[in-house]
Amino acid sequence: MPTIDTLSAPADSARRHPRHRHPTPAPATLDLPRGGRLHRPLLCMVVAMGALVLFSMAGTIFDDRMLLDESVWLKPGKFGLAFVLYGFTLAWLLSLPHRGSRVTWWLGTAFAVAGFVDVGFIVVQAARGTYSHFNSETDAVNSIGQLVFASGVPGLFFANLIIVLILSWQRLVDRPTARAIHAGLGLAVVGMALGYLMGFTGKQLVRDADGDVVELVAGHTVLDKTSRTLDARDGAGGMPITHWSTIGGDLRIPHFLGLHAIQVLLLAVVALAWLAPRCPWLRPERTRAALIGVLALGYAGLLAIVFWQAMRAQSLVHPDGRTLFAFGALLWIVGLLTATVYWRARAAANQSRNAPSAARLFTAGTRHRG
């Protein structure tokens, strides 16, 4: 039978019997996996888009021309910022060792070139004080620019899609980061695809910066067909900062959420790694990967809800009962799954802590009988 002395000296027992020590899980680190050299063409695009953001900020201050009640330079600035975020993320992803790297390098280059060309046309049209998207004017500059869009936008989409197909089957990094990459890239493809639906929202007549009437063959605002007219609907009743529509659905919302899912998920990976040393239940890689999976599922559900809401010509800030129920159900599911991951992780941690104690008791009892 074990004595009080043997029970009260677990450290001595562990030293004498190292095989019964329980290894402490290594704390997670904040460092994302490091790859090789970043993709040069994408980095050049990122630098150029960053310069465009700064230029556009200055343009909103010194150029008072307006399109749909916003500065002519707001759209180039927003596109520049979006390409900075996504381009840098893609450059980092392509720097990770992976199979098919030669193919993905060329696809990344195609993405960078298409980004340069497409955003370049947006800048040209902003400087001219007119519209880049859906503009049906027949002047030479706009006619050529629309041909650019007709080829450049699919180029961006398919280059990204093939990169996703190549990377999604490979384990590039640790489990939580890999899950964030795979889910984030998939959601980005969905977000890009949803942007194409803006071309089916109906015509509208708007005015350019000089006050001339311009016909747009489509737009980002969705109105019910019974209330839709040729009056300008894009830019009417926009929200602060985002300028998303308050008079109807806005397809830019799911488009935006999908494109930037990967940044949100990677930030969640960093946050969980930072919390892991402070929360022992987060230290196992499997637990953090499960939480990233729950977040990705919740993000996909959010994307589906706001898309469904926009297609019903409903503003984000004016949800009806069905939309609120969907949001509530999504929160309940995500909360339930998160709690499940938490309790399983806590149970596993408690079991691992109890295992060495049982081993010490068995060893101490054996020694005492001997």
Side-chain angles (χ1 to χ4, degrees):
M1 180 176 180
T3 64
I4 294 177
D5 292 336
T6 58
L7 290 176
S8 61
D12 292 339
S13 176
R15 280 195 296 269
R16 287 193 293 270
H17 301 277
R19 66 180 179 276
H20 296 305
R21 291 180 185 174
H22 179 65
T24 302
T29 63
L30 277 173
D31 294 332
L32 287 174
R34 296 180 180 179
R37 189 171 64 180
L38 295 176
H39 192 280
R40 288 283 184 85
L42 283 170
L43 282 184
C44 291
M45 183 197 74
V46 167
V47 171
M49 296 300 172
L52 173 61
V53 172
L54 297 177
F55 179 83
S56 298
M57 291 173 62
T60 60
I61 297 173
F62 298 106
D63 189 342
D64 59 359
R65 293 178 300 163
M66 306 287 284
L67 290 174
L68 297 174
D69 295 327
E70 62 183 36
S71 170
V72 295
W73 296 108
L74 184 60
K75 176 178 280 190
K78 290 193 294 186
F79 270 81
L81 182 58
F83 273 90
V84 166
L85 294 174
Y86 197 83
F88 185 80
T89 303
L90 194 58
W92 171 73
L93 287 177
L94 296 185
S95 75
L96 300 174
H98 61 277
R99 294 187 296 275
S101 58
R102 188 182 296 262
V103 175
T104 58
W105 189 92
W106 283 107
L107 290 170
T109 302
F111 187 96
V113 171
F116 268 120
V117 174
D118 284 1
V119 178
F121 176 64
I122 294 173
V123 173
V124 169
Q125 292 292 79
R128 297 177 68 224
T130 190
Y131 302 87
S132 51
H133 290 72
F134 314 121
N135 192 335
S136 63
E137 294 297 294
T138 57
D139 63 276
V141 175
N142 185 66
S143 298
I144 295 173
Q146 297 306 321
L147 292 176
V148 169
F149 266 164
S151 58
V153 173
L156 288 170
F157 176 76
F158 285 109
N160 192 74
L161 175 61
I162 299 173
I163 290 173
V164 170
L165 293 176
I166 292 174
L167 297 184
S168 61
W169 301 105
Q170 303 186 46
R171 174 77 178 272
L172 307 178
V173 285
D174 63 281
R175 190 177 298 176
T177 310
R179 188 157 294 178
I181 290 171
H182 295 161
L185 286 175
L187 289 168
V189 169
V190 173
M192 289 183 184
L194 293 180
Y196 281 100
L197 296 179
M198 296 181 192
F200 302 95
T201 57
K203 295 181 180 181
Q204 56 181 321
L205 297 179
V206 297
R207 292 188 180 275
D208 63 16
D210 296 324
D212 297 326
V213 175
V214 176
E215 181 190 66
L216 303 183
V217 297
H220 50 75
T221 304
V222 181
L223 296 180
D224 187 86
K225 290 184 179 180
T226 59
S227 59
R228 187 187 305 166
T229 66
L230 289 178
D231 293 338
R233 58 185 183 276
D234 289 351
M239 301 179 199
I241 303 176
T242 63
H243 289 212
W244 291 337
S245 179
T246 60
I247 64 170
D250 198 320
L251 287 170
R252 291 178 299 179
I253 300 173
H255 182 61
F256 171 85
L257 289 178
L259 284 177
H260 298 295
I262 189 167
Q263 286 91 30
V264 173
L265 293 174
L266 287 175
L267 285 175
V269 170
V270 174
L272 290 177
W274 181 80
L275 288 170
R278 298 158 179 80
C279 304
W281 68 277
L282 283 174
R283 289 178 185 174
E285 186 179 284
R286 178 174 295 181
T287 299
R288 286 179 281 122
L291 287 175
I292 293 298
V294 172
L295 177 60
L297 180 64
Y299 199 99
L302 176 63
L303 177 61
I305 291 173
V306 296
F307 170 66
W308 174 58
Q309 185 182 20
M311 291 301 292
R312 290 187 293 128
Q314 185 180 108
S315 171
L316 181 69
V317 295
H318 299 128
D320 61 10
R322 289 186 295 170
T323 303
L324 291 175
F325 177 81
F327 276 122
L330 178 64
L331 287 174
W332 185 83
I333 292 171
V334 170
L336 179 63
L337 292 175
T338 303
T340 301
V341 173
Y342 170 76
W343 288 114
R344 284 185 176 178
R346 288 294 300 269
N350 290 336
Q351 185 178 6
S352 63
R353 280 197 299 267
N354 292 334
S357 300
R360 287 196 296 269
L361 287 172
F362 175 79
T363 302
T366 304
R367 291 181 64 253
H368 180 72
R369 286 196 299 272

